[in-house]
Amino acid sequence: MNHPPERSLSWGQALVLGATALPMVGFGGLGAWGTYSNITSVFHRSATALGVVAAGEGATLVLALTLVGLTMLGQSSPTAVRVGLWTLPAVASLTGAAVAPTGTESVVFAFTPMAMCVAAEGMGLLARRIVVYRTGVDAEAQRRNAAVMQKLAYHRARAANHPEKKARGKSDLKAWKLAKKVGTGDALLGAHLVGVQRERMTAGADAALAGMFALPVTAPAPAVTAAPEPPVVAPAQEEGVTFPVTVEDTQVTAESETVPAVPVTPVTPPVTPPVTLEEIAAVAGVPTPQPGEPLTDAQLVAVLRHLRYADDPPLSYRQAGTAFREGGFVGGEQRVRKAWGSLMSHEESDLS
């Protein structure tokens, strides 16, 4: 699958994103400083407070930096990193609530570590969006889709081949539930699907317009032959003129015999068999295209030429495309349309 070309951040975008990341780091640091002050006020030992901050906000910061680094490299983050970004601040919150001397202070102590948690998640999300914008690849979405497809393949196989009927039923139901999650959050997949639908709509509109604006083909009028001239009739003899009568004129000629009519069989020209796909492929110098096999551009043109002139009148683009699919030939809609355009160009050049 071809990915879109990489894009670079403009100067303004880099400035805004940098200004957005600075408050995240700053407020995360303020949350850590608040936790340090809270623990110091209870234990009155800075070393203990530093240990609590290091175990809570410090570890969360390490995981956040790991998440940002992996995201910038175009890799998905391990499950331990994603879980730790929420588990460690939660542990720090529970610790603060446990050591607080009063109920009111326990709420404050528990809420303070959330600053580092939100800052870490915000930095990770921002880094991920930057990578998706520049490269067009969302590693996290691909990781989720891969996990869903792996589970879907397992449950489909289990639903089809498991010996127990109950297990087959559970896997079949689970497979349908997993099917709803395929492609969720994958912007690249959505863009490709939109592109495919756009190509199909373009091909359909092109075929519809071609059918609307195509001129009707009329058969040529039969040639008109000149009628034979009538025979010239000799003028009648004038009165008073006597022609000599000979012996031959006095003889009575026998009545002419009637020749029976002979039935005439109409002569029809021999029917020329249509050119086969093998002959077209041989003329084009390409192997004979086979259904179900990938075809080259030249083979696509040969198949479309064969389908177009397999009937009289020649097939249109939509009819040839339908025959192409019904014949079991393999080819993308864009390649078929391009091959059809090449075939039409050759026809126009031959006519000119």
Side-chain angles (χ1 to χ4, degrees):
M1 180 174 59
N2 295 327
H3 298 293
E6 291 190 4
R7 297 184 293 180
S8 59
L9 295 174
S10 64
W11 182 84
Q13 290 174 331
L15 181 62
V16 171
L17 291 175
T20 305
L22 287 178
M24 297 181 184
V25 178
F27 287 116
L30 288 177
W33 178 72
T35 302
Y36 172 81
S37 300
N38 294 335
I39 299 301
T40 304
S41 65
V42 175
F43 293 98
H44 304 289
R45 293 191 300 270
S46 60
T48 303
L50 288 175
V52 174
V53 172
E57 282 81 350
T60 304
L61 178 62
V62 172
L63 294 180
L65 295 177
T66 303
L67 176 64
V68 170
L70 292 176
T71 304
M72 298 301 289
L73 293 175
Q75 302 177 10
S76 61
S77 302
T79 305
V81 174
R82 298 191 304 273
V83 173
L85 286 176
W86 288 95
T87 303
L88 293 177
V91 172
S93 297
L94 292 176
T95 303
V99 301
T102 63
T104 303
E105 291 179 341
S106 66
V107 176
V108 177
F109 285 17
F111 189 71
T112 303
M114 288 295 104
M116 180 59 72
C117 177
V118 175
E121 286 291 337
M123 292 175 59
L125 178 60
L126 186 62
R128 174 185 170 189
R129 294 305 180 188
I130 292 174
V131 173
V132 172
Y133 173 81
R134 294 190 66 253
T135 64
V137 178
D138 192 345
E140 287 296 323
Q142 291 181 354
R143 178 192 60 80
R144 290 195 302 267
N145 287 332
V148 171
M149 293 304 297
Q150 183 180 9
K151 294 179 182 178
L152 181 60
Y154 166 74
H155 284 288
R156 290 303 300 166
R158 189 168 179 253
N161 302 319
H162 199 276
E164 297 182 4
K165 183 177 181 181
K166 185 177 181 180
R168 292 198 301 269
K170 289 183 177 179
S171 291
D172 196 9
L173 182 61
K174 183 66 175 178
W176 282 108
K177 292 181 179 179
L178 289 172
K180 297 188 299 183
K181 301 180 181 179
V182 176
T184 302
D186 193 346
L188 185 61
L189 176 61
H192 280 289
L193 292 178
V194 171
V196 170
Q197 293 301 324
R198 185 181 293 113
E199 290 181 2
R200 292 179 178 176
M201 292 176 63
T202 303
D206 179 49
L209 292 175
M212 290 174 61
F213 295 104
L215 297 177
V217 180
T218 57
V224 180
T225 58
E229 297 182 358
V232 179
V233 180
Q237 299 177 358
E238 298 180 0
E239 296 182 358
V241 179
T242 304
F243 292 94
V245 179
T246 62
V247 178
E248 289 79 8
D249 295 333
T250 60
Q251 301 296 327
V252 179
T253 59
E255 187 176 358
S256 61
E257 298 179 358
T258 303
V259 180
V262 179
V264 179
T265 303
V267 179
T268 57
V271 179
T272 304
V275 182
T276 62
L277 179 58
E278 290 77 6
E279 295 174 348
I280 296 178
V283 173
V286 296
T288 303
Q290 299 296 333
E293 296 182 358
L295 305 179
T296 62
D297 294 340
Q299 288 178 317
L300 275 177
V301 174
V303 172
L304 292 176
R305 184 186 297 274
H306 168 68
L307 295 176
R308 173 170 169 79
Y309 296 104
D311 200 355
D312 190 17
L315 302 184
S316 63
Y317 172 77
R318 180 182 297 178
Q319 295 170 338
T322 303
F324 183 85
R325 302 301 178 193
E326 292 178 352
F329 294 102
V330 179
E333 190 69 26
Q334 185 175 4
R335 294 187 61 217
V336 173
R337 187 168 66 252
K338 183 179 179 181
W340 181 266
S342 176
L343 178 60
M344 293 297 99
S345 301
H346 284 298
E347 289 188 1
E348 293 177 359
S349 61
D350 293 341
L351 291 177
S352 61

